[in-house]
């Protein structure tokens, strides 16, 4: 039996308040749902839009593009002068994302980098004002040193799915199949919370999103 916590009714309520009025995003959501491709849930998407509206990042790095849904949401929340680099390991997924990003007219703003994030991150050296981490959860601790190196002072690191269905916060035994990821996410959160140059909290919407502000 799965021992995840069910707090889905709260998320379902918040999600129900958010209307997706964009025809292309609606089409993408249906495409993702029909193929079981995970994309940000509405309440997380809204939270990211809000962070973008407040912080107005000029350079954004996303790790985990999937079909480009969240990249497009971020681009639409910013002006056309911003740059979004988004990294995706799966070539088919990257080409679907390229199709939708072109369709959205955002191919000058969003640059897809098709590759394994750990390899790509090593090659990046220009800092970003916002980093959105939404890839393999078990790799988050490995991504972290690169995120810390690449985030600008006053920049924001958003890490999605850090509560992993409640298992990360759960006391007692976590089922074997989820244990490694839950432990790695705990390790990741402990590092974020103990970093002297970050202010971090976790917002328990969607599957939990960690927000880390980079101080001087
Ligand atoms: C949750 S989906 C991203 C969803 C997307 N951010 C959105 O909300 O529209 C995670 C994606 O990360 C990709 N991914 C997972 N691990 C990766 C890695 N190590 N390097 C690059 N991409 C990775 C997967 O192929 C998948 O498409």
């Amino acid at each position: 039996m799965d021992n995840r916590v069910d707090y889905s009714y709260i998320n379902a309520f918040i999600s129900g308040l958010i209307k997706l009025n964009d025809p292309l995003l609606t089409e993408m959501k249906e495409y993702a749902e029909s193929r079981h491709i995970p994309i940000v849930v509405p309440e997380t998407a809204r939270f990211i839009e809000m962070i973008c509206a407040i912080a107005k990042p000029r350079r954004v790095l996303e790790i985990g593009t999937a079909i480009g849904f969240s990249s497009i949401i971020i681009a639409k929340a910013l002006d056309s002068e911003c740059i979004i680099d988004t990294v995706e390991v799966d070539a088919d997924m990257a080409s679907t994302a390229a199709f939708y990003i072109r369709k959205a007219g955002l191919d000058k703003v969003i640059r897809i980098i098709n590759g394994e994030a750990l390899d790509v991150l090593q090659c990046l050296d220009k800092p970003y004002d916002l980093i959105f981490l939404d890839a393999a959860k078990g790799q988050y601790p490995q991504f972290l040193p690169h995120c810390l190196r690449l985030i600008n002072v006053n920049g924001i690191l958003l890490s999605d799915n850090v509560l992993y269905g409640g298992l990360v916060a759960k006391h007692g035994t976590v089922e074997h199949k989820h244990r490694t990821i839950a432990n790695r996410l705990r390790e990741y959160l402990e590092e974020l919370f103990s970093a002297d140059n970050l202010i971090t909290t976790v917002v328990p919407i969607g599957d939990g999103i960690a927000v880390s502000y980079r101080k001087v």
Side-chain angles (χ1 to χ4, degrees):
M1 216 186 86
D2 204 320
N3 57 354
R4 291 175 180 223
V5 176
D6 183 11
Y7 55 92
S8 54
Y9 74 101
I10 296 174
N11 278 327
F13 172 73
I14 300 170
S15 175
L17 296 170
I18 299 165
K19 308 287 174 248
L20 191 57
N21 292 321
D22 184 308
L24 180 65
L25 290 173
T26 303
E27 180 188 327
M28 293 176 76
K29 189 167 180 271
E30 285 166 5
Y31 178 95
E33 277 167 4
S34 68
R35 287 163 180 79
H36 307 289
I37 297 168
I39 58 170
V40 280
V41 293
E43 56 276 26
T44 304
R46 176 57 57 88
F47 181 77
I48 296 167
E49 277 182 86
M50 182 168 293
I51 292 286
C52 287
I54 296 168
K56 299 183 176 53
R58 310 301 296 165
R59 287 178 46 79
V60 179
L61 173 65
E62 176 181 64
I63 305 168
T65 317
I67 63 168
F69 184 79
S70 52
S71 319
I72 292 175
I73 286 176
I74 293 168
K76 283 176 178 280
L78 300 173
D79 64 40
S80 56
E81 301 299 300
C82 75
I83 283 292
I84 301 168
D85 288 334
T86 181
V87 186
E88 174 55 55
V89 70
D90 182 307
D92 290 340
M93 208 72 93
S95 81
T96 304
F99 167 79
Y100 281 123
I101 287 165
R102 253 195 321 275
K103 201 167 171 181
L106 290 166
D107 46 326
K108 298 261 185 314
V109 172
I110 304 171
R111 183 174 71 144
I112 302 168
I113 307 171
N114 182 205
E116 158 59 47
L118 279 175
D119 299 333
V120 174
L121 286 166
Q122 278 168 30
C123 302
L124 300 176
D125 51 15
K126 211 170 157 195
Y128 294 90
D129 308 307
L130 177 72
I131 299 180
F132 176 43
L133 179 50
D134 190 20
K137 294 176 275 292
Q139 287 184 291
Y140 279 20
Q142 290 170 280
F143 295 143
L144 186 56
H146 294 288
C147 294
L148 295 179
R149 178 177 59 80
L150 289 167
I151 194 74
N152 254 329
V153 170
N154 298 323
I156 297 169
L157 166 62
L158 297 176
S159 316
D160 201 13
N161 306 114
V162 292
L163 292 179
Y164 192 39
L167 292 182
V168 169
K170 203 171 171 67
H171 294 290
T173 314
V174 173
E175 250 185 304
H176 181 72
K177 65 178 175 179
H178 298 304
R179 201 174 299 152
T180 305
I181 290 181
N183 285 340
R184 291 204 179 142
L185 285 171
R186 273 185 204 134
E187 179 193 327
Y188 179 72
L189 288 174
E190 273 159 24
E191 284 195 47
L192 283 182
F193 275 82
S194 60
D196 287 338
N197 59 356
L198 295 180
I199 303 173
T200 296
T201 191
V202 173
V203 182
I205 53 169
D207 203 15
I209 184 161
V211 186
S212 306
Y213 172 75
R214 165 76 202 272
K215 296 187 283 183
V216 183

